[in-house]
Amino acid sequence: MAPLSSPPLSKHRTEATAELALPAVIPQSRYSELNIDLRLGTTATGINRHQHTLTIRNETDIEVIEYRKLLVTTGARATPLAITGADLPGVHYLRTYDDAQAIRQSASRCKRAIVIGGSFIGMEVAGTLRQQGLEVVIVERDTLLYKLHHSDVSTHFEAMLRKHGVECRLGQRPVRFEGKHHVSSVVLDTDEHLACDMIVIGAGVTPNVNWLLSSGIELQDGVRVNEYLQSSDPDIYAAGDVANAWHPVFRRQMRVEHWDNAGRQAKIAARNMAGEAEPYTHISYFFSHVFDQSYNVLGLTQEQCKRINRGALKKPPFEVLYLDQGVCEGFFTLGRASENTRAAETLIRDRVNLTRHFAKLKRASFALREVPGQVLFILQGGGAYGAFECGAIQALQEHGILPDLVAGVSIGAFNGAIIASNREHAAEALENFWRDVSTISPEFGDEATRRLIAGNQISTFGVPGFFSPRWMQSLTLRGPAPHKWTSLYDFSEAKELLEKYVDFPGLCNSPVRLLVTAVDIQTSDVVLFDSHVDQLSADHILASGSLPPAFDWTTIDGRHYWDAGIISNSPLEAVLQRVGSAGKQIYLIDLFTGKRAHMPENMMDVYSRREEIIFSERLRRDHNKQDLLMSHRRLIEQLMAQLSADKADRVRSEPLYQQLMGETAATQITRIMRESNPENPPSRAYDFSRPTVVKLIEDGYLTAKDVLQATKNRE
C-alpha cells in the first residue's frame, strides 16, 4: 500500500464493515512515472556513513544500496504504556492504518470504551467512538484537556464532551489494566475500577531512531537537524515526526508531530538535498474537530505565555493569542476557521511585537490584519551612492520610522548591518561610518572638474581603510603578480571598519533582523544570509559587496561569493520570498533612477546612465496574475456556498484552504528615489570624496522628507 494521508485515521467515521478510505500522498501510479523505486514492506536497518550505504531488509532479503544524499522520514511510533495488562487483547494504540482498522472492528463489538489521554487525538477518538454508540470515558492525568494551558478552553471542551455523553476523568491516571482473556477494566490511581471492553491509548509517540543508534549521527529526541533539515552528517537529512529541527522563528530545537509539518519539511529537505539552502521557517498548523466544533492551532501554545482571549467561548468563533515578551508565538481558534488565521501566521513568523496593541487585540471585532505589519528597509548597492541611504535613514528616524527588518546588497548590506546593530541610533552610526570612508580631495572652483579629479584619485589610490588598488601591492611585493589578479582592488581592510560599527555576535539578538544577498560563483544562485538563521560575520557583508571585477570574491565555509547586484541590485524579491509580503510596510531606497529626460552628453554621462539602467529597481506588478488569482478565489467561495454549513466549516479548517484563501493584509511600498539633477555635474559610484558624500547625504535626507510628507498628505 502506497503512503497514505494520515489525518482521517482519527477523524474518519464510517461503519466498521466498510473499508477505511484514505487518500494517497501520491497516487501509486505516479511513482513509476517519476522514476521512484518504491519499496513497500521494506525496513531500513542501518547506515554506513563512510561508505554512503543503507542496509534494508524485507521478509526474504537483505540488501545494501548506495546513496549520495539520504532523507530519514521514519516517523514515530506510539509510546507503549508501561503498566500491567497493557498487552491484553482489546488494548489499542492509534498510529497506523492497521491500528485504525483494528479499533473500528473492536468498536463494532464493544459497548464501553476508555480513552487514555486527553490530547487532540484522545478527544477525536472519544468523539468518534461516542458517535458510533459506545459509552466513552476519557482518563487524563493532567487537570486540563489538551495541551493549550488554558483552563477556560479545557472546561469548554470538557462540557462539550459531557454534553455528548463522554465522561471525563481529569487529574487521574491508570495504574493497571485487568482482564483474563480480554481487557475488562481499568484501575485508576484512586483505586477505582472502571469497567470497559476496549481501551485506546494516546500516550504520545517515540521517534523511530533505534536503527540509527550506531550510525554516528547526532540523535536527540529524534534526529537532530539544523534549520536546513541537515543532520550532523551533511549528506543525511531528516523530516517529519523523526526530525528534531532548529526553528529560526522560535529559536529552539523543535520536533513537531503534525501531518502538515511533515509534508512541508519533506519538500524543503528535498530541495536542500538538491543543492538549495532554504531554511524551514513554516509555522506549524493543526486542525481538528470534535462533534460539531472545529478548532485550529498555530505555532506554540506554552504555559509561560501571556494569553489574550478574543470573543466568547459560548459564542464561537473564539480566539487566543499566546505571547512571549509581547511577541506572538501561538494562536488558537475555536469554531469556524477564522479569517484571522493567516494574519496570525504572519505575526508569528515575523515576530511582531504586539505590546502596544494589547487593548485593541482584546476586542474580537479588531481584525488581526489591521495590526501594523513589519517595517522593512530595502537598501540597494551603488558604491558611494550609499551615502544617499544614510540621509534617507536620518529622515525616516526623525519621523519615528524604525525597521523591524533591513535587507541590503553591496553597500546597502554595509548600511543595513550598521542599522541592525544600532537600531535606535542608526543615523548617527551611519553618518560616522560615511565620514570614515570619505576622502579628502583637491578643491576646485569648477565642481565638475573637482569630481573628475576626485574620481580619478580614488580609482588610482583607493579609499584608505576601505579598499586599496592591487598595483600598489605589486610595488611592495605584496599580493599576487598582476597576471594572477582576480580583482582590481583589495577589499579585505573593510572588515576592520565593519567590525568597528557592527556587533556581529549580537546581531542574532537584535530587534532588527538583517538579510543580505550574495551570489554563489559556482552555482550562480542568489544566496540570502539571514541573522535569524545564520551567525553573520563581517565576511557575509563583504561577500555581498564583492562586486567584480573591482573586488575579489569572499569565501565563507568553502563557498565563494560575489556581489548579488550583478543579478539584482535589490534584495526585495529574495526577501519577500523568505518573509512573505502580507502586511509589510516597505521603504525602498532606490539609488538608480529608471527614467531620465535628458540624453547623455559625454562619456562620463554615458557610463553613469548605463549604470542607472543596469541597476535600477523595477517594481512591476503582474495585474493579470493577480486578477486571475482573485477570480479563482471567487469561484471557490461560490462552490463553498453550495456545501452544507458543516461541510463548509470543515473545508475552511483545512491547512490548504487557510493557505490559499485566508485573508492577508496589503503590502505598502514607499519608494525613496535618488533623482539625477541635470543642472549638477554627474558623479560616479566610486566618488567617495568628502564633498560628494556630504551632498549625497543631504540629498537623501531632503528626498526622504519630501516623500514622507507627500505620503502623509495623501493619507
Side-chain angles (χ1 to χ4, degrees):
M1 182 182 297
L4 302 173
S5 180
S6 62
L9 289 179
S10 58
K11 298 174 173 66
H12 204 72
R13 176 179 177 248
T14 59
E15 295 302 320
T17 55
E19 183 70 16
L20 179 58
L22 299 180
V25 176
I26 300 175
Q28 190 153 349
S29 60
R30 284 287 289 160
Y31 286 93
S32 57
E33 294 173 9
L34 296 170
N35 197 27
I36 296 173
D37 183 3
L38 179 63
R39 305 287 190 94
L40 299 175
T42 302
T43 303
T45 59
I47 295 172
N48 186 320
R49 296 190 299 112
H50 305 293
Q51 296 182 8
H52 275 60
T53 59
L54 171 71
T55 302
I56 58 175
R57 64 173 173 80
N58 55 30
E59 292 182 353
T60 59
D61 297 310
I62 296 177
E63 184 180 356
V64 177
I65 56 179
E66 295 182 354
Y67 68 85
R68 284 189 297 173
K69 301 287 184 181
L70 180 69
L71 177 61
V72 177
T73 58
T74 47
R77 63 188 181 278
T79 303
L81 203 58
I83 62 174
T84 301
D87 56 349
L88 282 169
V91 177
H92 301 276
Y93 295 88
L94 178 57
R95 189 65 185 171
T96 67
Y97 177 87
D98 290 340
D99 292 339
Q101 288 285 59
I103 290 171
R104 294 167 71 247
Q105 291 293 332
S106 186
S108 68
R109 301 187 297 268
C110 295
K111 295 182 178 180
R112 182 175 171 84
I114 293 180
V115 177
I116 307 297
S119 65
F120 66 87
I121 289 290
M123 290 193 293
E124 283 184 348
V125 170
T128 299
L129 293 175
R130 183 66 189 131
Q131 287 175 306
Q132 292 180 352
L134 279 73
E135 296 178 28
V136 181
V137 179
I138 292 179
V139 177
E140 167 57 50
R141 65 181 180 180
D142 201 343
T143 56
L144 300 178
L145 284 170
Y146 195 34
K147 303 301 182 185
L148 289 171
H149 307 291
H150 196 302
S151 58
D152 292 343
V153 173
S154 174
T155 300
H156 176 82
F157 278 132
E158 184 180 358
M160 178 186 63
L161 290 165
R162 292 186 187 280
K163 174 184 174 182
H164 288 86
V166 177
E167 183 181 352
C168 297
R169 297 297 191 95
L170 304 183
Q172 301 178 21
R173 61 182 180 85
V175 294
R176 66 180 181 275
F177 301 151
E178 294 184 338
K180 290 186 177 180
H181 304 293
H182 191 277
V183 69
S184 60
S185 68
V186 175
V187 181
L188 302 179
D189 56 355
T190 60
D191 206 30
E192 184 178 1
H193 289 59
L194 301 179
C196 65
D197 39 22
M198 71 175 290
I199 295 172
V200 181
I201 299 173
V205 299
T206 302
N208 289 319
V209 294
N210 286 349
W211 67 287
L212 295 171
L213 292 177
S214 61
S215 67
I217 65 172
E218 185 175 0
L219 303 176
Q220 182 188 62
D221 186 30
V223 178
R224 184 183 175 95
V225 294
N226 61 18
E227 63 272 19
Y228 304 106
L229 304 174
Q230 186 180 45
S231 75
S232 56
D233 183 315
D235 292 328
I236 299 176
Y237 294 71
D241 291 6
V242 76
N244 182 8
W246 175 260
H247 202 295
V249 174
F250 300 111
R251 302 179 185 183
R252 69 192 73 183
Q253 294 291 140
M254 294 174 56
R255 191 174 63 79
V256 180
E257 300 164 6
H258 293 167
W259 169 82
D260 176 57
N261 176 78
R264 291 177 182 271
Q265 278 192 344
K267 292 177 181 179
I268 298 294
R271 287 198 281 267
N272 291 340
M273 291 167 71
E276 296 188 25
E278 181 178 348
Y280 184 72
T281 59
H282 175 66
I283 307 303
S284 62
Y285 178 87
F286 170 77
F287 73 99
S288 181
H289 46 78
V290 180
F291 295 111
D292 57 349
Q293 286 203 340
S294 62
Y295 62 93
N296 309 270
V297 181
L298 272 171
L300 299 179
T301 56
Q302 300 190 100
E303 186 173 9
Q304 71 268 23
C305 286
K306 174 184 175 65
R307 297 184 296 273
I308 296 180
N309 297 337
R310 293 164 49 83
L313 275 165
K314 293 182 179 180
K315 293 183 178 180
F318 170 79
E319 300 169 350
V320 184
L321 289 164
Y322 289 78
L323 309 177
D324 184 10
Q325 297 182 343
V327 175
C328 186
E329 291 212 328
F331 181 70
F332 168 81
T333 180
L334 177 72
R336 179 178 174 179
S338 170
E339 64 271 14
N340 283 327
T341 302
R342 282 297 303 280
E345 181 181 6
T346 299
L347 294 176
I348 295 170
R349 185 186 61 240
D350 293 347
R351 299 189 62 80
V352 176
N353 194 303
L354 301 175
T355 302
R356 60 193 177 99
H357 305 294
F358 280 178
K360 292 180 180 179
L361 290 170
K362 291 178 181 179
R363 301 200 307 266
S365 60
F366 179 74
L368 294 184
R369 68 177 183 275
E370 295 178 19
V371 174
Q374 281 189 314
V375 174
L376 274 64
F377 288 176
I378 303 294
L379 308 179
Q380 293 184 346
Y385 296 155
F388 181 90
E389 294 173 338
C390 171
I393 297 302
Q394 289 180 4
L396 289 165
Q397 186 172 295
E398 285 183 7
H399 280 70
I401 301 171
L402 302 178
D404 300 296
L405 185 153
V406 59
V409 61
S410 196
I411 196 64
F414 279 70
N415 287 336
I418 294 169
I419 294 168
S421 194
N422 302 271
R423 185 176 191 259
E424 304 296 330
H425 309 286
E428 180 183 353
L430 283 172
E431 191 168 2
N432 290 334
F433 167 80
W434 280 98
R435 185 183 300 113
D436 282 351
V437 299
S438 61
T439 62
I440 304 300
S441 60
E443 295 291 338
F444 287 89
D446 177 45
E447 178 63 10
T449 303
R450 187 202 67 77
R451 291 190 180 187
L452 177 63
I453 293 177
N456 289 336
Q457 172 189 327
I458 292 164
S459 63
T460 304
F461 298 104
V463 175
F466 198 28
F467 61 88
S468 57
R470 294 287 185 192
W471 70 265
M472 292 183 66
Q473 294 180 348
S474 297
L475 291 178
T476 58
L477 301 180
R478 292 187 298 114
H483 69 282
K484 292 187 177 181
W485 288 356
T486 52
S487 67
L488 299 175
Y489 299 92
D490 180 4
F491 197 32
S492 60
E493 53 196 284
K495 185 173 183 177
E496 183 177 346
L497 183 63
L498 271 170
E499 291 172 343
K500 174 181 176 181
Y501 289 98
V502 181
D503 174 19
F504 284 101
L507 282 179
C508 60
N509 296 315
S510 169
V512 180
R513 183 177 181 180
L514 173 66
L515 297 100
V516 298
T517 53
V519 61
D520 188 309
I521 297 175
Q522 293 169 295
T523 66
S524 302
D525 293 330
V526 173
V527 178
L528 188 66
F529 297 122
D530 183 344
S531 64
H532 274 194
V533 177
D534 309 294
Q535 184 61 57
L536 297 188
S537 67
D539 285 335
H540 292 86
I541 310 304
L542 292 179
S544 185
S546 297
L547 181 66
F551 304 124
D552 209 348
W553 59 76
T554 299
T555 302
I556 302 172
D557 296 332
R559 305 303 301 177
H560 311 292
Y561 300 99
W562 271 335
D563 186 330
I566 61 178
I567 292 180
S568 174
N569 196 41
S570 168
L572 179 62
E573 182 179 356
V575 168
L576 294 186
Q577 286 178 353
R578 172 65 59 87
V579 303
S581 61
K584 301 293 189 297
Q585 299 179 51
I586 299 173
Y587 293 87
L588 189 149
I589 303 176
D590 201 340
L591 300 182
F592 294 92
T593 179
K595 298 179 180 180
R596 184 192 278 189
H598 301 281
M599 292 295 292
E601 297 179 355
N602 52 53
M603 286 304 297
M604 182 172 284
D605 216 4
V606 167
Y607 191 85
S608 178
R609 183 58 185 151
R610 172 182 173 272
E611 285 185 330
E612 289 174 348
I613 293 173
I614 291 174
F615 294 122
S616 62
E617 169 63 17
R618 302 167 185 86
L619 298 176
R620 297 172 180 169
R621 295 183 177 273
D622 189 344
H623 294 290
N624 291 335
K625 182 178 179 181
Q626 191 68 20
D627 289 345
L628 181 62
L629 176 62
M630 294 306 298
S631 296
H632 282 154
R633 292 179 66 160
R634 285 193 293 269
L635 175 61
I636 291 173
E637 287 299 348
Q638 290 173 9
L639 295 174
M640 291 286 290
Q642 307 302 314
L643 301 177
S644 67
D646 180 62
K647 288 184 178 179
D649 185 38
R650 295 195 177 200
V651 171
R652 291 189 177 98
S653 298
E654 294 284 345
L656 188 58
Y657 181 92
Q658 290 289 316
Q659 180 184 358
L660 298 177
M661 299 293 291
E663 293 188 17
T664 57
T667 301
Q668 299 177 3
I669 297 179
T670 300
R671 196 172 184 180
I672 301 170
M673 182 180 295
R674 185 187 70 86
E675 298 285 358
S676 296
N677 187 342
E679 296 180 0
N680 292 333
S683 62
R684 304 293 289 275
Y686 54 79
D687 181 1
F688 285 86
S689 64
R690 182 70 52 82
T692 298
V693 166
V694 170
K695 183 65 168 64
L696 285 165
I697 292 175
E698 180 185 358
D699 288 347
Y701 176 80
L702 294 175
T703 301
K705 292 278 284 187
D706 289 344
V707 169
L708 294 173
Q709 185 60 50
T711 302
K712 183 178 180 180
N713 292 341
R714 286 195 298 270
E715 294 174 350

